[in-house]
Amino acid sequence: MKIQANSIQIEVDDQGPRDGPVVLLIMGLGMQLIAWPQALVQLLTDRGFRVVRFDNRDIGLSQGFDHAGVPNMALAGLRYALHLPVRSPYSLADMGRDALGVLDALGIAQAHVCGASMGGMIAQHLAAEAPRRVASLTLMMTTSGARSLPQPPWSVRKVLMSRPMKPGTDAAVDWILHVLRVIGSPAYPTSAEAMRERALASVQRAWHPAGSARQLLAVVADGDRTPLLSRITSPTRIVHGVADTLVPVACGHDLAAHIRGADTEFIAGMGHDLPEALLPRFAQGIAALAARAMA
């Protein structure tokens, strides 16, 4: 369903008991709400949670910003490297207010927030700006954006900056599969059939690479969020793959060093994805943190 949140249209999926504690899932760059596996949602609803997923602005079925044009990412990267301001049509703080608007529109006073990758960056803004609305915070495979942190190797960045070889669904699916293979979990591989099925579902639901580029520009423009981290007071858990090539595990250690009292779970063999074999572990971690927060 679509709701009005922070003055824009946001597509929302809302499952589980309406009187249960709420888990709000915030997805990463260019990824739709369906990138949160239904199996994970089911594991959480089976524990009595109400689970809310949503498409971030400019992706999926939520409101787009095509009027802002397609950004010049090479220029943005150069400005960032030269420590010059990078301007974007919207900010990650705006996207944090979108998440808050989703809670407002659904009449939810407080949620256990879980953000993955860019979704974790958005969640940092949400937890810092509206601490009373965040009962607990799970940050998965994400970063503070500090300049001193290691960056992905050029081979990974080159893949992410590439584009499908030609127009059409098949080419888009092949490109997504290539990206997922590069950043995925070496110890927890997804079958080729399951991976293709997910990629096809994503492209058929909504394929909007220009929105992904504008989201990436917002990430670059956001810069270093370290000053926000001292304002995070919610019980926090950091989950990061040791084998993550996109957001190196040092980024997870950095978050733990700056968020007071944060628990950590560094998983050997996990890359930058949500492997099916680890979903019960993720659900248990969210549930345990929620129980601690509500105790």
Side-chain angles (χ1 to χ4, degrees):
M1 62 178 176
K2 276 195 174 59
I3 61 172
Q4 187 85 359
N6 193 26
S7 301
I8 64 173
Q9 292 291 310
I10 296 289
E11 180 74 14
V12 171
D13 176 74
D14 186 359
Q15 299 183 45
R18 290 299 176 268
D19 59 349
V22 176
V23 173
L24 179 70
L25 300 175
I26 309 177
M27 191 28 81
L29 175 68
M31 304 296 283
Q32 304 173 54
L33 65 84
I34 58 172
W36 290 108
Q38 177 59 33
L40 177 62
V41 175
Q42 190 65 51
L43 286 165
L44 291 168
T45 57
D46 287 347
R47 286 171 166 82
F49 289 103
R50 177 182 177 184
V51 181
V52 177
R53 303 179 288 179
F54 67 98
D55 287 334
N56 286 309
R57 63 166 64 194
D58 219 1
I59 213 71
L61 304 180
S62 287
Q63 185 170 322
F65 286 74
D66 286 342
H67 61 275
V70 180
N72 184 333
M73 293 308 304
L75 178 59
L78 178 61
R79 291 185 65 86
Y80 177 82
L82 295 174
H83 294 250
L84 296 172
V86 177
R87 297 177 179 84
S88 58
Y90 49 80
S91 67
L92 294 189
D94 291 329
M95 298 175 82
R97 286 186 281 272
D98 293 347
L100 185 60
V102 168
L103 297 180
D104 288 341
L106 296 177
I108 296 169
Q110 198 175 55
H112 302 283
V113 175
C114 177
S117 196
M118 183 190 73
M121 304 173 199
I122 295 168
Q124 292 167 44
H125 279 281
L126 175 59
E129 297 297 331
R132 294 184 180 180
R133 306 295 296 277
V134 180
S136 71
L137 179 65
T138 300
L139 298 175
M140 303 184 71
M141 50 192 176
T142 191
T143 178
S144 68
R147 285 180 176 268
S148 60
L149 291 170
Q151 299 298 310
W154 172 245
S155 58
V156 174
R157 281 182 279 177
K158 184 179 178 181
V159 170
L160 291 176
M161 297 303 290
S162 68
R163 291 291 176 264
M165 297 294 291
K166 55 186 179 180
T169 297
D170 289 343
V173 168
D174 288 342
W175 179 80
I176 292 172
L177 291 176
H178 182 47
V179 172
L180 294 179
R181 290 189 191 102
V182 169
I183 66 174
S185 297
Y188 303 96
T190 301
S191 72
E193 182 180 358
M195 196 180 295
R196 179 167 288 277
E197 183 179 322
R198 293 174 195 170
L200 180 60
S202 176
V203 173
Q204 289 180 333
R205 184 175 184 265
W207 173 242
H208 196 47
S212 298
R214 287 187 291 270
Q215 288 185 348
L216 179 57
L217 185 63
V219 170
V220 175
D222 205 48
D224 186 354
R225 285 171 296 281
T226 303
L228 287 180
L229 302 183
S230 63
R231 294 161 51 193
I232 294 176
T233 57
S234 308
T236 301
R237 183 175 183 82
I238 294 158
V239 180
H240 214 113
V242 176
D244 193 332
T245 56
L246 181 59
V247 182
V249 69
C251 299
H253 288 288
D254 172 72
L255 287 171
H258 287 94
I259 300 177
R260 189 167 46 252
D263 292 337
T264 59
E265 186 173 14
F266 298 108
I267 303 176
M270 175 183 161
H272 200 80
D273 60 354
L274 300 172
E276 184 176 358
L278 293 177
L279 298 183
R281 188 168 174 175
F282 297 153
Q284 177 57 34
I286 292 170
L289 183 62
R292 187 182 113 197
M294 295 186 292

